[in-house]
Amino acid sequence: MPQRRFPHRPQFDPVGTAPRRAALRVLDAVLRRGQALEPALARAGEGLSPADRGLAHAIAAEALRRLPDLDALIDGATRQRLPDDAKARFVLRIALIQALRLGTPHHAAIATVLPLIDGGPRKLVHGVFGALMRSDATLPELPALPGSVAGRWAAAHGDAMVEAAQAAMAAPPPIDLTLADAAATDSWAERLGGTNLAPGHVRLPAGADIAALPGFAEGAWWVQDLAASLPARLLGRGTGDALDLCAAPGGKTMQLAAAGWRTTALDIAENRLARLRDNLARTGLDAMIVAADALKWAPPAPVDALLIDAPCSATGIFRRHPDVLYRAHPGLIAETAALQAALLARAAEWVKPGGRLVYAVCSLEPGEGEAQLATFLAGRGDYAIDPVRPDELPAGIAPREDGTVRTLPTMLAEAGRLDGFFIARLRRTR
């Protein structure tokens, strides 16, 4: 879809159209240009009120969750298939997701999107939307995944995992908190009205106002998916030197600092490190922060523990960020896998003999997890898997036979499920 169709000129829209226009620009940025949803919203939502910005986010995110199903409805109601990049298709997606999922009255859903399109396509959009509403069109209970993603995940993890991924997409995920003091788990779970699935963890229902919760201002906890907390948990408590690579926004850095490690946090993105600094200030935890490229930087001395939460396709966080389903194509996965290999090769030299290295990716792609580890170990006789024990993991999560950990949306289904991660703990043997 040509950029000229989304001109950045002053708009004089009817009431309610501005957030729909922002949602249109976000969907265009994600689907046509491969951008992430959050940065795209930051640009598209400039000048919007917080409420309108939130609505734009809700429309775009929910449309991405249901995109194959929305397109199936549109294709079933048009004589000639609309091109994937047709503006009429984008506008229909926005109107339909409001009417079918967000509870917007039908007249408001269509009236607020018609100003986004001109001429004949406006009549087409109005006609298709009206026909679908008159036929009582619905979306399936479980959203369909993009065909390429479903095929890839079925081959890697089985059909049951694909079905679990669909179920995970159907409802907003819960909110997980990591506590600075694991000894206070029971008291914080009671105070916050949540449940705990592991020491130092509290799970809350989706939709909680984070900043208004008890303990936020004083830094008693931070938001972090339970699966994302496992890599640092597997390093345990320590008094030595720990290095957290690709550290921002800092959840794992804070875990290491709270566990007693003398922690250095490194990240290439200075703007993301600002958030880490804010989090450390709020929690009162201490870590040295370094803004540098890990492929060019090196620590002054080897460390006892090293954690690499490596840049990846991020397909494991699809239920929170559905845009990854459309951005994480095979080319991107291959590109991030090459970066992971380079980071592993370089960082492996920074661990003391006898020290441990935890490699993790929030990815459901074996090329970024299992295959990456196999390639690394084949070339490094001085590293071996340090098997994770069952008692080191929350109930419902088990290490695999080789001692690594793979979390999947099939796990903890009754408790709200998990993000997808691959985690391997290694020890340097000499």
Side-chain angles (χ1 to χ4, degrees), residues 24-306:
L24 177 61
R25 288 175 173 158
V26 171
L27 289 176
D28 175 61
V30 171
L31 296 174
R32 190 174 65 84
R33 288 177 277 157
Q35 296 180 9
L37 189 151
E38 300 296 340
L41 179 64
R43 289 184 289 272
E46 288 181 1
L48 292 182
S49 68
D52 279 353
R53 184 186 176 94
L55 177 57
H57 182 276
I59 292 170
E62 194 64 19
L64 290 168
R65 290 179 187 278
R66 296 283 182 164
L67 201 69
D69 300 316
L70 292 171
D71 285 344
L73 288 179
I74 295 167
D75 293 342
T78 51
R79 294 180 181 177
Q80 185 174 355
R81 189 181 186 280
L82 293 171
D84 289 339
D85 64 352
K87 194 171 186 181
R89 180 180 290 276
F90 276 66
V91 171
L92 276 166
R93 289 162 171 167
I94 291 172
L96 289 170
I97 202 63
Q98 292 179 83
L100 299 179
R101 288 291 297 173
L102 300 181
T104 306
H106 296 179
H107 67 87
I110 189 64
T112 52
V113 301
L114 287 178
L116 305 179
I117 198 163
D118 300 313
R122 177 183 284 203
K123 294 180 181 179
L124 172 67
V125 166
H126 194 283
V128 170
F129 180 83
L132 287 170
M133 294 303 99
R134 288 191 296 272
S135 67
D136 295 324
T138 59
L139 292 169
E141 181 181 355
L142 296 183
L145 298 177
S148 60
V149 175
R152 198 168 68 233
W153 289 358
H157 307 294
D159 292 337
M161 180 274 187
V162 174
E163 293 175 6
Q166 292 176 267
M169 286 276 285
I175 297 170
D176 287 335
L177 309 179
T178 295
L179 306 179
D181 179 9
T185 300
D186 291 340
S187 62
W188 274 114
E190 181 178 359
R191 188 174 176 188
L192 292 166
T195 58
N196 66 287
L197 302 175
H201 166 268
V202 174
R203 173 163 283 187
L204 304 176
D209 183 353
I210 298 300
L213 291 174
F216 175 81
E218 57 266 43
W221 47 261
W222 53 91
V223 176
Q224 185 180 37
D225 188 80
L226 179 59
S229 75
L230 297 181
R233 286 175 181 270
L234 296 181
L235 286 172
R237 299 198 62 81
T239 57
D241 295 308
L243 176 58
D244 183 10
L245 294 189
C246 313
K252 297 173 182 64
T253 295
M254 291 185 287
Q255 284 182 275
L256 294 173
W261 294 96
R262 292 188 299 274
T263 307
T264 298
L266 181 138
D267 200 282
I268 195 172
E270 180 62 50
N271 61 327
R272 284 167 52 82
L273 285 173
R275 184 176 170 190
L276 173 51
R277 291 187 178 91
D278 290 343
N279 283 331
L280 288 172
R282 181 173 63 85
T283 58
L285 295 168
D286 183 54
M288 179 181 294
I289 296 176
V290 178
D293 183 346
L295 295 178
K296 299 176 182 178
W297 178 88
V303 297
D304 302 283
L306 191 149

